[in-house]
Amino acid sequence: MMKFRSLAISALATIAAALALPALAADGYDLSPEQNGRVHATRNAEAIGAIPENFRFATPGKFTVASAVGGPPLNTYATDAQTVVGSDPDYASAIAESLGLQLQIIPVAWADWPLGLTSGKYDAVISNVGVTEQRKEKFDFSTYRRGGHGFFVRLDSAVKAISEPKDAAGLRVIVGAGTNQERILLRWSEENRKAGLKPLELQYYDDEATQLIALQSGRADVIVQPYSTLVFISKRDKNIRAVGLLSAGWPERSDVAIVTRKGSGLANALTIATNGLIADGTYAKILDRWGLADERLAKSETNPPGLPKY
C-alpha cells in the first residue's frame, strides 16, 4: 500500500511539473523538447585541428557534456520533463557542431560533476561553473560567459543604478545567507561605514517566493541573486527591473567556463571553437535568445586568472 501511494505521489508530482512548464514557455522562452529555435553553428576546422590526436571522447562521434540542471534560463527540463534545455545546452550544442560532433547531455547532481569528469564519464562540464584558482589545480577551463550578480528592484522603485558600494548605501537588500553575493555585500557595507555612509541592511528569507513578496510589498528595496535567475524572474513576473550587474567575484573578475580534465588538451580546442562562435555572431544569438546579452564576453580564454582562494 505504501509503495502504491509513493508511486501515485511521484506520478502526480511529475504531472504537476509538466503542466507548469508550458506557462514558463509563454514568458518568452522556448522550453519545448524540440527546440526549433535553437541557434546552430558550422564546423570550425581550426578547432577540430586543435583536438589532440590522442584525445578519446567518452563516446566516439559525440561531445558528451555534464549539466547540473538548476533552472531557466541556464539549464532546465523541457516540457517533456526529460530534455535539458536553456542557454548552456544551446552553447554546448554549438560547440559540438563546431567540432563536427553530436551533442550528448548527461544531467548530473552538482556535487557529482568533478568525479565524473576526472573518471572520463564525460568530456566536459557546461553548467555555469566559475573559474577559481582552486578549481584550476584540478581542471582546465575555456571561458564563455561573464559570471554576474544582478541588482533588481520593483518597476516603480526610485533606485536607478547600482554599480559601487555608495550606490547601495542605506538600502534594504535581499540576499541569500552564505552566498558569494552576501560576502560581497558585507564588504560593500563595511566600505560604506569607513566612508561615513550608511551601511547596507541585509535581509534573509527562506525561499524565493518570500523574497519576491518582500520586495513587492516594500519591505526591501533591492534583491541580489545570480543575474540569469533574476532575468528569468523579470520576464516571468514582469514586475522587477535590473539596475546593476556586478562581477560574481567582485572586485576580481569572475568568468564562467567549460570545464575539462586537467592536461587533456581539449581546452584549447574549445577556446578556439568559442572564439569562432563569437566572431561569426552565433555566440551573441545564443545569449540573446535567453536574455543574457549583458553577460557576453569579448573573447574566450584558456585558464585565465580565477577567483582567489578565500
Side-chain angles (χ1 to χ4, degrees):
M1 187 62 154
M2 288 299 293
K3 181 177 181 181
F4 174 79
R5 183 181 178 188
S6 297
L7 289 172
I9 292 173
S10 177
L12 287 172
T14 300
I15 292 170
L19 289 174
L21 285 172
L24 302 182
D27 292 307
Y29 293 110
D30 173 14
L31 299 183
S32 68
E34 295 81 13
Q35 290 296 291
N36 293 325
R38 174 168 280 173
V39 180
H40 293 283
T42 57
R43 290 169 62 98
N44 184 324
E46 183 184 0
I48 294 172
I51 300 172
E53 290 186 8
N54 63 349
F55 183 84
R56 296 293 177 265
F57 287 94
T59 300
K62 295 184 177 181
F63 182 44
T64 303
V65 173
S67 180
V69 182
L74 297 183
N75 43 38
T76 189
Y77 285 111
T79 53
D80 63 357
Q82 297 181 37
T83 307
V84 182
V85 300
S87 64
D88 277 352
D90 273 16
Y91 171 70
S93 174
I95 289 292
E97 291 172 342
S98 296
L99 300 179
L101 301 169
Q102 180 182 348
L103 176 64
Q104 176 174 271
I105 293 182
I106 300 179
V108 299
W110 174 265
D112 293 342
W113 70 255
L115 180 59
L117 181 59
T118 302
S119 66
K121 190 174 181 179
Y122 25 83
D123 307 309
V125 176
I126 300 180
S127 192
N128 199 41
V129 182
V131 182
T132 71
E133 289 303 311
Q134 185 169 1
R135 287 173 179 159
K136 280 168 60 180
E137 294 175 359
K138 296 182 178 180
F139 304 102
D140 286 329
F141 292 86
S142 301
T143 57
Y144 69 94
R145 211 180 71 245
R146 292 174 60 193
H149 299 315
F151 291 82
F152 280 63
V153 299
R154 296 185 309 278
L155 293 182
D156 62 352
S157 173
V159 179
K160 301 301 180 184
I162 298 176
S163 60
E164 55 184 327
K166 67 179 184 179
D167 297 333
L171 295 181
R172 299 165 297 172
V173 183
I174 298 170
V175 67
T179 62
N180 191 39
Q181 302 94 277
E182 181 193 35
R183 177 187 63 81
I184 293 171
L185 294 178
L186 287 172
R187 291 180 63 183
W188 276 32
S189 199
E190 184 58 29
E191 286 197 15
N192 281 341
R193 279 198 190 91
K194 291 179 179 178
L197 301 172
K198 290 183 179 180
L200 283 64
E201 180 186 312
L202 302 188
Q203 297 184 2
Y204 304 91
Y205 297 92
D206 292 334
D207 55 64
E208 183 179 276
T210 309
Q211 291 176 342
L212 296 175
I213 290 172
L215 185 64
Q216 291 302 322
S217 67
R219 294 201 305 272
D221 302 305
V222 185
I223 183 171
V224 179
Q225 283 189 18
Y227 180 75
S228 59
T229 300
L230 292 174
V231 164
F232 171 74
I233 292 172
S234 69
K235 288 195 173 187
R236 181 193 67 194
D237 298 347
K238 300 178 175 61
N239 59 7
I240 62 173
R241 59 181 172 84
V243 293
L245 174 60
L246 183 71
S247 168
W250 184 92
E252 292 86 9
R253 165 184 168 181
S254 176
D255 292 338
V256 172
I258 310 176
V259 192
T260 50
R261 291 186 296 280
K262 190 72 178 177
S264 70
L266 188 60
N268 188 47
L270 300 180
T271 299
I272 293 171
T274 298
N275 281 323
L277 297 174
I278 291 173
D280 69 16
T282 302
Y283 169 79
K285 291 177 182 177
I286 292 172
L287 293 187
D288 287 344
R289 183 175 187 235
W290 297 98
L292 300 176
D294 288 337
E295 293 191 323
R296 187 178 305 169
L297 284 180
K299 68 173 183 177
S300 174
E301 297 179 82
T302 301
N303 292 329
L307 291 183
K309 297 179 181 179
Y310 292 109

